[in-house]
Amino acid sequence: MDVSSDAANIRDPMSRAPRYLLTSYGCQMNKLDSELVESRLTAAGYERAEGESDADVVLLNTCSVRQHAEDRVWSRLGVLRQLKREKPGLVVGVLGCMAEEHQRYIRARMPHVDLVVGPSAFGDIDEKVETLRARGSDEEPGDGVVAVGHGVSGDTIRRDVRVRPHRSQAYVNVMRGCNMPCSYCIVPATRGQEISRPIADIVEEVERLCDDGVSEVTLLGQTVNAYGRDLGRDVTLARLLRALHEIPALRRIAFITSHPNFLSAELIDALAELPRVSRYLHLPAQSGSNAVLKAMRRGYTAERYRTRVEQLRARAPDIELHSDWIVGYPGETDEDFAATVALMEEIRFAQSYVFKYSPRPGTLAADVVDDVPDAVKAERNRILNEVQERHTVARNQEFVGCVQEILVEGPSKVAGRLTGRTVHHRIVHFDSTDERLAGRYVPVRILEALGHSLLGEQLAEDHAEVGA
Ligand code: SAH
Ligand code: SF4
Ligand code: F3S
């Protein structure tokens, strides 16, 4: 590796543009944060690297939600330690939730990490990277930049709407942080207190996205249906949805993740009345046992969850439900787990993510012994996934014979097929090689239910009878 020519690249205007490699771990919010980081770097003249070998800057946008997510990053950082020995001019950055959570450890034990930037502090990431690159490779290790803490949000920077992975779809942050007290969860520590963006700002951003070709947005918030409570009584998710519904070019509006406690009558009315709002709701139940829900401090019982779902289904029966579940929470008995299975059987979710409980240092639950053996967690995980699979397949079969409107996303993994999504967020594959359809809405008749997706045939554009 020619180190001197690497260092020369920083100052020589005739050399190639500096290159960055950015890997995202974690939730959709992290993915969107990564897009914002990319837009800053692109504006500063950076190009995307092919891999570690041609990168001048390697950034990891990290997640702390479970140990497994962190382990992947620790092991990647081990590899980067070696790379940095070979290439001292390389800038290595840890961004996101692990930067917030483990800043001291990283600074003390990982001198090859130059940049530690929490999820609220990357608004000027390009300047931070430039500062580090300009100093060259002769500085002492450990002289890097640390920017953590809450308040300075990436959203304070006007977003470059052109930088996004999909032409017709976009994520939009409506709030940051989380004020909920869930005992197991690290997110409030990494992302800080709730800060909602004003409705006018969000509408303005979505209009600019639509002007650039977007027709589907997914609004993001850890408790997205609590949106606005820090801005006064008149600011709610329902009102935001109504305001966005006025934008003519916007055909689909989705939002994640909802908390059962904030599923208000006003929001249910909006779901029932606004046809362009996507027909699914991510409403994590976490458990069906009242004892476990109480220990988790979720703030509702299984009965209250059921009641909320009944109210929703009475007004908007076409909305499908998605859930997250944690198995093996401390003290979870066989009876508790049976109650979780019962809730899942009863509600019949369209989709679920099941997680084995992972203690997070610093959370309330971490003070309680993690007493459910891993083998038991694994078995409960398997059972819950099996029940969900049965429901997913059964529901998929109900779509066979129906015509669905698909927003085409692009080629499927199978050659000769395209992939898109229904308004319920279901994946549909169909035979076509016409990649110009990407970003268009096409009618597709569903022919077959696969495990996690549907197979269909494209109909003529003017086919009118779309419906489940
Ligand atoms: N704000 C969202 C998502 C939070 S993180 C919500 O409240 O639903 C996504 C999911 O990770 C959670 O819904 C939960 O099921 C899971 N999760 C969070 N902390 C966890 C932990 N310590 N161990 C296992 N799963 C966890
Ligand atoms: Fe975590 Fe609970 Fe907040 Fe979701 S609502 S991010 S689970 S603390
Ligand atoms: Fe992970 Fe942070 Fe998202 S902990 S789930 S990246 S909010």
Side-chain angles (χ1 to χ4, degrees), residues 65-66 184 222 257 284 286 324 326 355-358 360:
V65 80
R66 282 171 290 277
Y184 50 82
Q222 291 295 347
T257 298
Q286 309 295 359
D324 296 347
I326 296 177
F355 304 106
K356 292 188 283 180
Y357 170 69
S358 167
R360 305 285 68 216

Side-chain angles (χ1 to χ4, degrees), residues 403-458:
V403 178
Q404 293 287 305
E405 185 184 61
I406 308 302
L407 170 53
V408 181
E409 292 183 351
S412 116
K413 283 187 193 128
V414 178
R417 274 187 195 163
L418 296 179
T419 292
R421 282 187 192 264
T422 68
V423 73
H424 298 98
H425 208 57
R426 280 166 192 278
I427 299 171
V428 178
H429 310 285
F430 61 97
D431 286 345
S432 172
T433 50
D434 185 1
E435 291 190 22
R436 288 167 310 173
L437 289 178
R440 300 254 302 272
Y441 293 78
V442 300
V444 169
R445 186 189 308 284
I446 307 302
L447 301 174
E448 198 182 328
L450 307 174
H452 292 276
S453 59
L454 300 161
L455 204 59
E457 62 175 352
Q458 187 189 348

Side-chain angles (χ1 to χ4, degrees), residues 34 39 122 136 174 223 302 402 425:
S34 290
S39 73
F122 55 73
V174 303
T223 49
C402 298
H425 208 57

Side-chain angles (χ1 to χ4, degrees), residues 63-72 74 358-361:
C63 172
S64 286
V65 80
R66 282 171 290 277
Q67 190 60 44
H68 177 67
E70 292 200 340
D71 288 345
R72 288 168 64 202
W74 294 131
S358 167
R360 305 285 68 216

Side-chain angles (χ1 to χ4, degrees), residues 350-416:
Q351 185 182 309
S352 281
Y353 296 99
V354 185
F355 304 106
K356 292 188 283 180
Y357 170 69
S358 167
R360 305 285 68 216
T363 60
L364 277 172
D367 296 337
V368 186
V369 182
D370 177 19
D371 59 356
V372 178
D374 202 53
V376 175
K377 285 182 188 168
E379 178 62 1
R380 291 178 184 169
N381 189 81
R382 187 189 64 73
I383 293 170
L384 222 47
N385 275 321
E386 240 174 54
V387 175
Q388 181 58 59
E389 183 106 4
R390 186 154 47 73
H391 295 165
T392 306
V393 171
R395 181 70 184 119
N396 276 350
Q397 267 154 3
E398 291 172 27
F399 280 97
V400 174
C402 298
V403 178
Q404 293 287 305
E405 185 184 61
I406 308 302
L407 170 53
V408 181
E409 292 183 351
S412 116
K413 283 187 193 128
V414 178

